[in-house]
Amino acid sequence: MPFGGKTKMEKFFKLRERGTTVSREVVAGITTFLAMSYILALNPSILADSGLAWGSVFTATAISSAVATLVMAFCANLPVALAPGLGLNAFFTYTVVLQMGCTPQLALTAVLVEGIVFIFLSLAGIREAIIRSIPVSLRKAVAVGIGLFITLIGLANAGIVGTDTGTLIGFEHFNMAHASALVAVIGFIITIVLFMLRVPGAILIGIALTTIIGIPFGVTKLPVTDGKAFSPVALPSAPYFMPFDFKGMLFDSNGAFSLVVLGKFFVIFFTFFFTDMFDTLGTLLGIAEQGNLKDKDGNIVNAKGALLSDAVGTVVGACLGTSTVTSFVESTSGVAAGGRTGLSSVVTAIFFALALFLSPLFAIVPAAATAPALIFVGFLMMKSITTIDFSDASEGIPAFLTIIVMPFSYSISAGISWGIISYVLCKVVAKKTRDIPTVTWVLALIFIANIVFETLK
């Protein structure tokens, strides 16, 4: 939908400046939502194991995702969507609650504190300074590593790869016993054909067609209505409200102040803090590289607003009863579909809000339908590798480690940490310490300390 003049929307979101249109942004926003909508079912399922109510967490997930993504749209004007992060919700349930014996209320208190600290750090520009300190070669490597990471997510979600074949990663036989994998491969082929034919919205169309194709294969599960007419509308459950345990931060079960209790709380807080910090950082770097959303110095545009959005989302989520909210790597699928501004984030946020009432409808889209989009986006994100100087080992080795650690460790933050550590090591050995920014030195020491801490824990 081209613009006939300088509309308010065009001025605010800078659509022409970034070479996009309203229709393209709408398609991108829907694509991003579909690619990450699985979190609406998965996050409540994981947190329900901690003792929280599934319905309440579902509502908290949808609301916090919508709020954080709207903040991203209006404060940063970036096509990035946010939601409670995978890995962080697993740590919340299976480590903090089930292993360490903490209550869900205490875990949510740690999430709240983390979010508040992040708000102050974001407003002060400290998180932005950390992003700016990442060497250019590592920024490009992060984009490539994320591409491989989300490709692996897509392959695993579709059941194309697994560990039950006797090898670390083995491709399954494509037959009706592995219908999900077969449907995903068909969907991937469709996406490739549409993209090669330059069909607008190729990724979104691919998701829709794959969902339909999955019906006869039994992959797309149509809702069971017990003979009644299917209704896509359902009222949401009430979320929690301020479910915190501030006393549990400092006092033991007998009501006495305890340094042990405080120390345990700090470990929980620091793990949430550390993982969210660098998962968000990596995702923003990857999306900025993919969509060329950088300023003349190569830094992420409006980085402060972007970082503030996940902090606000985390606080809102904690107040409603869900784990840490973070930028989602699946946003790259929307960028691949043409998203370049916060308008696509507005569309994604609207769909998260609608999901509160339309959960039966959105539940129809299977993982096998969104997997081809993630795999294809992995290809699109590989282009940055061509601009990394591998002829200089002090640049190439850290970039290589950043790229391979992300998918193999299933962690964006792990890839960044090993990339930073190896960058400092290689530059020191090569006697090029002048290339190392001061903040990069500090980050390397923090990463090393964290590895030692995790080893001794």
Side-chain angles (χ1 to χ4, degrees):
M1 174 179 169
F3 288 91
K6 287 279 186 180
T7 65
K8 290 183 178 180
M9 185 178 295
E10 191 279 333
K11 288 181 179 179
F12 184 86
F13 290 111
K14 301 179 181 179
L15 299 179
R16 286 185 178 177
E17 181 181 318
R18 297 189 185 177
T20 186
T21 63
V22 171
S23 59
R24 193 177 300 165
E25 293 295 301
V26 170
V27 168
I30 297 173
T31 301
T32 294
F33 174 78
L34 290 176
M36 62 185 289
S37 59
Y38 66 86
I39 197 64
L40 288 168
L42 193 54
N43 188 57
S45 296
I46 292 175
L47 294 189
D49 289 342
S50 73
L52 296 175
W54 192 98
S56 297
V57 176
F58 174 87
T59 301
T61 301
I63 293 176
S64 61
S65 300
V67 170
T69 304
L70 282 175
V71 175
M72 178 70 75
F74 293 110
C75 290
N77 193 23
L78 289 174
V80 180
L82 302 94
L86 285 174
L88 289 162
N89 53 11
F91 173 74
F92 180 107
T93 294
Y94 303 114
T95 299
V96 176
V97 176
L98 298 183
Q99 288 187 15
M100 299 177 69
C102 298
T103 64
Q105 290 73 23
L106 182 61
L108 287 170
T109 305
V111 173
L112 174 70
V113 173
E114 173 216 349
I116 292 173
V117 171
F118 270 152
I119 287 177
F120 284 110
L121 292 181
S122 299
L123 292 175
I126 295 175
R127 297 176 78 191
E128 187 177 1
I130 292 175
I131 289 181
R132 293 178 184 274
S133 73
I134 305 296
V136 174
S137 61
L138 292 189
R139 296 184 199 180
K140 296 176 179 178
V142 165
V144 178
I146 288 177
L148 293 178
F149 177 56
I150 65 172
T151 296
L152 185 57
I153 291 175
L155 291 170
N157 287 351
I160 296 175
V161 300
T163 57
D164 59 345
T165 58
T167 58
L168 182 61
I169 297 179
F171 281 82
E172 307 288 1
H173 300 294
F174 298 130
N175 52 42
M176 288 306 293
H178 301 91
S180 179
L182 182 56
V183 169
V185 170
I186 294 173
F188 186 56
I189 293 172
I190 291 173
T191 303
I192 291 174
V193 171
L194 292 172
F195 183 81
M196 294 300 294
L197 293 176
R198 300 181 181 276
V199 175
I203 295 177
L204 177 59
I205 294 172
I207 293 174
L209 291 178
T210 307
T211 300
I212 296 171
I213 291 170
I215 295 175
F217 285 87
V219 173
T220 301
K221 304 292 185 182
L222 297 178
V224 178
T225 59
D226 295 326
K228 300 178 182 178
F230 169 66
S231 173
V233 180
L235 291 176
S237 300
Y240 293 96
F241 183 71
M242 306 290 281
F244 303 124
D245 179 15
F246 293 107
K247 290 184 178 179
M249 296 169 50
L250 305 171
F251 304 100
D252 61 22
S253 57
N254 296 318
F257 174 76
S258 172
L259 288 176
V260 174
V261 171
L262 179 60
K264 184 164 72 171
F265 181 83
F266 178 79
V267 169
I268 298 169
F269 159 78
F270 181 77
T271 302
F272 279 131
F273 179 91
F274 182 89
T275 304
D276 185 25
M277 164 79 84
F278 294 100
D279 272 3
T280 295
L281 184 152
T283 298
L284 291 176
L285 286 175
I287 291 172
E289 192 69 35
Q290 180 192 7
N292 195 29
L293 301 170
K294 299 176 290 185
D295 60 23
K296 58 186 171 97
D297 298 319
N299 297 309
I300 302 170
V301 296
N302 304 326
K304 180 179 289 188
L307 295 168
L308 181 63
S309 64
D310 85 309
V312 171
T314 293
V315 171
V316 172
C319 290
L320 297 177
T322 189
S323 53
T324 304
V325 172
T326 187
S327 300
F328 256 58
V329 70
E330 285 82 359
S331 301
T332 52
S333 62
V335 175
R340 293 294 181 273
T341 75
L343 181 56
S344 68
S345 294
V346 171
V347 174
T348 303
I350 289 173
F351 272 85
F352 268 117
L354 288 174
L356 281 169
F357 306 95
L358 301 174
S359 56
L361 181 62
F362 291 119
I364 293 175
V365 180
T370 57
L374 298 179
I375 298 168
F376 189 75
V377 169
F379 152 70
L380 296 176
M381 296 190 71
M382 291 298 293
K383 64 181 180 181
S384 298
I385 201 169
T386 62
T387 59
I388 299 174
D389 185 10
F390 285 103
S391 63
D392 181 352
S394 68
E395 296 283 339
I397 292 175
F400 169 72
L401 289 175
T402 301
I403 290 169
I404 64 169
V405 169
M406 282 190 189
F408 291 138
S409 67
Y410 226 65
S411 170
I412 294 174
S413 57
I416 293 175
S417 63
W418 283 105
I420 292 290
I421 292 171
S422 60
Y423 185 86
V424 171
L425 174 63
C426 289
K427 290 297 182 181
V428 169
V429 174
K431 298 180 180 179
K432 297 180 179 180
T433 54
R434 290 184 179 180
D435 294 347
I436 308 174
T438 302
V439 178
T440 303
W441 279 104
V442 175
L443 288 177
L445 292 175
I446 292 174
F447 286 137
I448 292 172
N450 183 67
I451 291 171
V452 172
F453 175 78
E454 290 294 329
T455 302
L456 298 176
K457 187 170 65 174

